[in-house]
């Protein structure tokens, strides 16, 4: 199975076991996670509900492109990232492009690049701190 790559933003680490990741999370106030595996809604909800999810400041979803990847949706009451500032969605299946200050109140930078398996019917932002939006979406 693909390894989860995580970093205290100033230093990159690769982890294969949860206890290694937990130790690194205690080292810094900022936490960046990169997923090279396809994210599912169930995993996104689990991440959001975890201590890790409540403390992550940067998320990068970048699986290998495939039109049949599962999709995720941030417009889900079970998905909340209270200190997330940076979100990069590259080649990740997306159900919608909806972000709110209730679910991602500190989001400043959002990058959506080549989403696959799109079901995007609505684009909606309620992000008062958003400074940068990059959208390189192809027709879904």
């Amino acid at each position: 199975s693909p390894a989860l790559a995580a970093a205290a933003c100033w230093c990159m680490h690769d982890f294969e076991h949860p206890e290694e990741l937990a130790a690194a999370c205690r080292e810094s106030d900022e936490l960046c996670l990169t997923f090279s595996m396809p994210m599912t809604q169930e995993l996104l909800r689990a991440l959001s509900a975890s201590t890790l999810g409540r403390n992550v400041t940067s998320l990068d979803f970048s699986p290998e492109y495939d039109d049949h990847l599962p999709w995720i949706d941030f417009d889900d009451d079970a998905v909340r990232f209270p200190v997330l500032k940076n979100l990069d969605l590259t080649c990740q299946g997306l159900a919608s492009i909806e972000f709110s200050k209730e679910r991602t109140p500190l989001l400043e930078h959002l990058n959506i690049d080549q989403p696959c398996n799109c079901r995007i019917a609505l684009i909606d932002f309620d992000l008062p701190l958003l400074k940068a939006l990059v959208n390189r979406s192809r027709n879904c």
Side-chain angles (χ1 to χ4, degrees), residues 22 25 34 41 48-49 52 68 70 73 82 87 102 115 119 129 131:
C25 291
T34 298
Q41 192 68 19
S48 170
L52 182 61
H68 303 291
D73 193 352
L87 179 59
E102 290 78 28
R119 294 184 12 165
L129 299 179
K131 296 176 184 174

Side-chain angles (χ1 to χ4, degrees), residues 23-63:
C25 291
R26 292 187 293 269
E27 293 176 7
S28 174
D29 289 339
E30 293 194 14
L31 177 65
C32 305
L33 298 178
T34 298
F35 293 89
S36 57
M37 63 184 196
M39 181 58 62
T40 65
Q41 192 68 19
E42 181 180 342
L43 289 173
L44 186 65
R45 286 177 181 153
L47 175 62
S48 170
S50 71
T51 301
L52 182 61
R54 290 189 302 273
N55 292 290
V56 67
T57 57
S58 182
L59 278 173
D60 181 352
F61 298 103
S62 53

